[in-house]
Amino acid sequence: MSESEYKIADGSGKFLQAVKDGRRMKDAQWSKGRILLSNKRIVLAGSEGKRNLPLSEVQGLSGRHDVNQTVAKVGNYVSIRMTNESVMLVSLGDNTETFESKLYGALLDQTELQVKHPAVEGGVVTDEQFERARIKVDESELSVAMSNGSFVSVELDDVGSAEAASLEVNGDTKPVLKVEHTVNRDTSVQTYFATDSHTASILESLLTKEAEKSQGSVELSETEKRVLMALYSGVSSFEIPDFLGMDVDEVESIFERLIEVDVLEEVRKRREVTMKTRGRNIASEAINEE
């Protein structure tokens, strides 16, 4: 390694090329070996030699690429999409998620971009301006340090959506990622991230992956949807019985059920609750259907 290169992660695992020049490799087989991540590249070293994947050529981390049954049997791997239309799969067993988080960090940490926060708050467009910022990734959050001294924390498991767009930013048209999440536990906001196309693609990979985790469907009754819509509209969990004309015990029972299916989160006893990302998505859809 050069003096400017340093090791971030190092372990044993397996890897294979699932896509080469845009073509799926249906006969691909896993190779066992050493997997090393530095601030400049990924090194895959096996019995057949060593392969370098420059981080500058990583386009993003995508979903599963089960090109054959051998690949499909592996429960956890990272799909690394390169700029040459190739995809490499890397698995480190139980350490795969940690490796993925460190890889996102290597790709994104200390990247300077422009951020507008909040761009939308409670469904209302704000007059905030884009400001310079730097970002940092760990396993649970995307940390954003703004040039004005403020700090924004985007909890990864609370990302509702990540939508790519092209907007005018300080006189120039740039790729922008519109990220919906919450602040102060229950206020829905959108934060806009403006950067170059390469960084935008990687950031979109990270946040879209997290948003998809909360998109799973849940079968709810009409009464349960009414409770969600009331919470989504700003009604306190303590005010739900009077607001909807329901019995307190019935509301408590509904809260229990919605907590069990990962739609609500209990804040403290006496059954105060706040909405989770999945709950916001369901409530928004239910309101649109009204």
Side-chain angles (χ1 to χ4, degrees):
M1 291 187 180
S2 65
E3 291 184 4
S4 61
E5 186 176 10
Y6 55 87
K7 183 172 66 177
I8 296 174
D10 190 359
S12 298
K14 53 187 178 182
F15 43 85
L16 64 76
Q17 185 165 12
V19 180
K20 182 178 181 180
D21 300 325
R23 181 172 58 87
R24 289 165 59 89
M25 308 292 287
K26 295 182 180 180
D27 58 349
Q29 297 294 319
W30 292 104
S31 296
K32 294 182 179 180
R34 180 185 179 191
I35 300 166
L36 184 146
L37 170 66
S38 78
N39 62 317
K40 294 183 179 295
R41 57 182 169 156
I42 303 164
V43 180
L44 306 175
S47 59
E48 297 181 0
K50 182 170 66 174
R51 180 163 188 165
N52 291 298
L53 307 179
L55 296 188
S56 60
E57 295 179 15
V58 174
Q59 190 173 16
L61 308 187
S62 52
R64 294 187 66 87
H65 288 266
D66 293 338
V67 292
N68 55 41
Q69 284 299 313
T70 301
V71 176
K73 290 178 181 177
V74 176
N76 201 4
Y77 60 74
V78 180
S79 301
I80 304 171
R81 191 173 71 254
M82 307 299 292
T83 54
N84 62 359
E85 296 188 58
S86 294
V87 176
M88 296 295 301
L89 308 185
V90 175
S91 176
L92 290 88
D94 293 340
N95 296 318
T96 300
E97 287 190 13
T98 299
F99 175 82
E100 182 179 30
S101 177
K102 289 182 177 180
L103 176 53
Y104 271 120
L107 291 165
L108 294 171
D109 280 359
Q110 299 308 311
T111 297
E112 184 172 305
L113 65 176
Q114 292 175 293
V115 175
K116 185 176 183 179
H117 174 82
V120 180
E121 183 172 11
V124 179
V125 177
T126 71
D127 58 0
E128 297 290 337
Q129 301 298 311
F130 277 97
E131 294 190 36
R132 288 186 300 106
R134 289 187 182 273
I135 56 177
K136 186 178 187 303
V137 180
D138 66 26
E139 291 191 37
S140 63
E141 70 177 352
L142 175 68
S143 303
V144 185
M146 308 287 282
S147 60
N148 62 9
S150 63
F151 179 84
V152 180
S153 174
V154 180
E155 298 290 336
L156 295 180
D157 65 358
D158 194 42
V159 175
S161 63
E163 178 188 351
S166 183
L167 300 177
E168 184 173 310
V169 180
N170 299 329
D172 296 321
T173 300
K174 290 188 174 183
V176 172
L177 199 61
K178 301 179 178 181
V179 181
E180 189 273 333
H181 59 108
T182 59
V183 293
N184 301 324
R185 301 193 70 88
D186 57 2
T187 302
S188 176
V189 302
Q190 284 189 29
T191 300
Y192 290 179
F193 295 85
T195 182
D196 61 88
S197 58
H198 179 249
T199 302
S201 177
I202 295 170
L203 187 58
E204 183 180 6
S205 293
L206 169 64
L207 298 177
T208 298
K209 174 178 72 74
E210 296 299 328
E212 287 174 349
K213 292 179 181 179
S214 63
Q215 298 297 325
S217 60
V218 179
E219 291 293 331
L220 300 182
S221 68
E222 290 304 313
T223 302
E224 289 169 338
K225 289 181 181 179
R226 286 176 60 211
V227 170
L228 277 184
M229 286 188 285
L231 289 169
Y232 188 75
S233 301
V235 179
S236 163
S237 53
F238 298 124
E239 299 171 343
I240 292 293
D242 289 338
F243 184 80
L244 296 179
M246 297 171 60
D247 181 76
V248 173
D249 288 341
E250 182 183 3
V251 173
E252 288 283 319
S253 178
I254 289 175
F255 284 165
E256 282 285 357
R257 147 81 171 152
L258 296 179
I259 289 171
E260 288 177 2
V261 297
D262 208 30
V263 168
L264 295 181
E265 178 180 19
E266 188 172 25
V267 178
R268 61 174 179 263
K269 295 301 180 182
R270 286 187 65 234
R271 195 54 82 215
E272 181 181 357
V273 296
T274 185
M275 299 193 77
K276 299 189 74 173
T277 306
R278 176 179 287 179
R280 297 198 308 274
N281 290 338
I282 295 172
S284 178
E285 290 174 2
I287 289 173
N288 291 334
E289 291 172 359
E290 289 288 302

